[in-house]
Amino acid sequence: MGKKKHRKSQPQVMALDTSSLTKKLRAFSEKYVKISEETSTRAKKLVKDYIEDQIIAYIEKNSKIKNLELEYTGSFYEGLKTEAADEADIMVILKTPNSGIEVIPSRVPGYVRLKARDAPMFNKYLSPEGYIDAKRLRNSWFQSHVRVAVNAIKPKPPHSEVRLDVRNHGPAVQVDIIKKGSEEMLLSVDLVPSFHVGDSWYVPKPFEGKRYVSRNELLWRKTFSPEEKRLLKHMDSENQGGCKHELLRIVKTVVKRPVTSLPLDSYHLKTAFMHYIKRGDLNWVKDALGENFIGFLKELQIRMASRNLPHRWLSDVNVLDDFKEQTVQLMENRLRNILTKEVKLNKILE
């Protein structure tokens, strides 16, 4: 996952009227990107009524392991959700013993082991050496408590006719809130049991790398979601009426369209965007939307050409290692076509 040399590959970007492009982007946003205030308000109420007031409250009342606080992360709470307010991410920060949690570095970048001493609440989930078993804590403790809490759910108006489904999703226990009868998905919530030690947060994300790791169930992934939220949520504060949020929401929607079809998820796009906005030569006023749309796509194209996109917080981790080389080359070619052929650009904004 080491760094690769950054080979600059500058596409010959077509000459565009960026003010006209800004108008097209705003029209595209109105049609495909923006979420309604109604669905956003509904999502917040569902989180309050079912997640906070019932599931989290049940765990707090019935478990020896207590919750310290909830950390709301992800696109919905960063102001970057697109199309629908149908997903939310919540880190459930666990209360640690007075003796604290010791962080033991591992050979895998971004992963650690967590050791607990004099912590009877965690005894069932410790290895013989005293390490907290990430997989066992999430499955045997957290998921089981969420399931029992869901079975005891008391429906609340105006969303009384709902059912809740529970399943694993990466490091999270996913709770789907579904409308009975129509089977409409109202909201999907990822609940992640987490530790906050010092200035860092850790989640039970399974290690899925290529290297062999002995006893990888003991590894905890360092997460930067809280830092990312604080950076991204307020990134337009220096430019009142700026276009950073608007731009990233549009690009997130554009790459998913069949005519574009780039297999970049929100994590990769946010990583590239956090690098892009560090540049000091950019104008972020609202009317610079078209100019920065081209600039950010150009940044993505250069990253794909060099096959190098460093993690925002771990410089020795290249997040493009998630993809096969041919896939990265395909994405670079598609971005180059969008940047050099106006007919391609117009097609994705139809």
Side-chain angles (χ1 to χ4, degrees):
M1 293 195 294
K3 268 183 159 180
K4 296 182 176 66
K5 187 176 179 182
H6 190 88
R7 291 187 297 101
K8 290 190 176 180
S9 176
Q10 299 278 353
Q12 296 300 311
V13 180
M14 61 192 147
L16 283 171
D17 177 354
T18 54
S19 62
S20 175
L21 178 58
T22 293
K23 291 178 183 177
K24 289 181 181 179
L25 291 168
R26 294 250 156 82
F28 178 86
S29 180
E30 285 290 336
K31 188 173 182 180
Y32 298 110
V33 181
K34 285 189 175 181
I35 60 176
S36 71
E37 187 65 33
E38 179 184 357
T39 59
S40 183
T41 300
R42 181 183 71 182
K44 292 174 183 176
K45 181 165 178 55
L46 289 169
V47 167
K48 177 73 168 61
D49 287 349
Y50 291 100
I51 305 300
E52 296 174 4
D53 290 354
Q54 298 200 61
I55 293 176
I56 299 301
Y58 176 90
I59 295 173
E60 184 66 19
K61 182 179 178 181
N62 295 280
S63 173
K64 292 180 181 179
I65 301 175
K66 303 299 181 182
N67 309 319
L68 180 64
E69 62 180 330
L70 301 180
E71 183 77 44
Y72 301 85
T73 62
S75 295
F76 183 66
Y77 297 105
E78 293 163 349
L80 293 170
K81 191 72 181 72
T82 63
E83 300 176 75
D86 55 2
E87 296 176 350
D89 300 277
I90 303 174
M91 294 169 61
V92 182
I93 312 296
L94 306 183
K95 191 173 182 179
T96 55
N98 292 332
S99 55
I101 300 289
E102 183 181 0
V103 178
I104 312 295
S106 81
R107 295 180 180 180
V108 183
Y111 283 86
V112 303
R113 287 183 170 87
L114 301 178
K115 179 172 279 191
R117 294 191 181 91
D118 302 318
M121 70 286 291
F122 296 120
N123 281 350
K124 290 172 62 177
Y125 314 103
L126 299 181
S127 73
E129 304 83 11
Y131 297 117
I132 302 174
D133 187 315
K135 185 176 180 180
R136 199 187 314 165
L137 184 77
R138 188 198 64 174
N139 294 350
S140 299
W141 171 69
F142 191 62
Q143 183 181 175
S144 64
H145 276 75
V146 170
R147 287 190 181 279
V148 174
V150 163
N151 290 335
I153 283 288
K154 296 177 182 177
K156 289 190 174 185
H159 304 294
S160 301
E161 293 300 314
V162 300
R163 81 167 198 273
L164 279 69
D165 289 347
V166 180
R167 57 193 171 99
N168 284 342
H169 181 212
V173 174
Q174 181 175 315
V175 179
D176 294 335
I177 305 175
I178 301 166
K179 188 174 182 180
K180 289 180 181 177
S182 70
E183 298 301 299
E184 175 191 357
M185 174 75 77
L186 299 177
L187 185 68
S188 180
V189 184
D190 273 1
L191 296 172
V192 186
S194 314
F195 285 101
H196 186 190
V197 185
D199 296 327
S200 301
W201 289 262
Y202 302 94
V203 297
K205 183 175 176 62
F207 176 69
E208 298 172 344
K210 297 175 183 177
R211 73 180 74 183
Y212 173 75
V213 179
S214 176
R215 304 192 68 185
N216 63 4
E217 73 276 4
L218 300 180
L219 292 180
W220 290 75
R221 174 72 178 266
K222 187 174 183 180
T223 180
F224 300 90
S225 295
E227 289 103 320
E228 288 173 4
K229 185 185 80 171
R230 289 177 187 113
L231 172 63
L232 295 168
K233 183 178 181 180
H234 303 293
M235 62 184 172
D236 277 316
S237 59
E238 294 180 3
N239 303 89
Q240 293 300 323
C243 62
K244 292 176 184 173
H245 279 92
E246 187 177 19
L247 171 60
L248 186 48
R249 287 195 298 262
I250 288 171
V251 173
K252 284 176 64 177
T253 306
V254 160
V255 301
K256 287 190 254 177
R257 305 204 80 200
V259 69
T260 314
S261 193
L262 299 182
L264 294 169
D265 61 21
S266 181
Y267 160 68
H268 298 101
L269 289 171
K270 285 195 287 189
T271 298
F273 198 69
M274 285 187 286
H275 286 296
Y276 180 66
I277 62 177
K278 285 199 307 184
R279 290 172 47 178
D281 60 338
L282 301 174
N283 178 11
W284 285 109
V285 298
K286 201 167 184 64
D287 287 342
L289 178 62
E291 175 187 340
N292 282 297
F293 178 78
I294 294 299
F296 183 43
L297 290 189
K298 187 176 177 182
E299 170 86 2
L300 283 173
Q301 187 272 335
I302 291 171
R303 294 289 183 181
M304 299 301 147
S306 66
R307 294 196 292 278
N308 182 41
L309 176 55
H311 191 285
R312 172 60 177 81
W313 314 97
L314 299 170
S315 58
D316 58 342
V317 175
N318 178 14
V319 303
L320 291 185
D321 284 345
D322 296 343
F323 301 102
K324 294 179 180 178
E325 185 173 328
Q326 303 95 304
T327 303
V328 177
Q329 181 63 55
L330 180 64
M331 290 192 286
E332 194 265 334
N333 289 339
R334 287 179 178 171
L335 286 164
R336 184 181 291 273
N337 276 336
I338 293 168
L339 287 165
T340 57
K341 299 175 182 176
E342 190 169 0
V343 65
K344 291 282 186 182
L345 177 60
N346 289 333
K347 187 71 175 173
I348 67 173
L349 296 180
E350 285 181 353

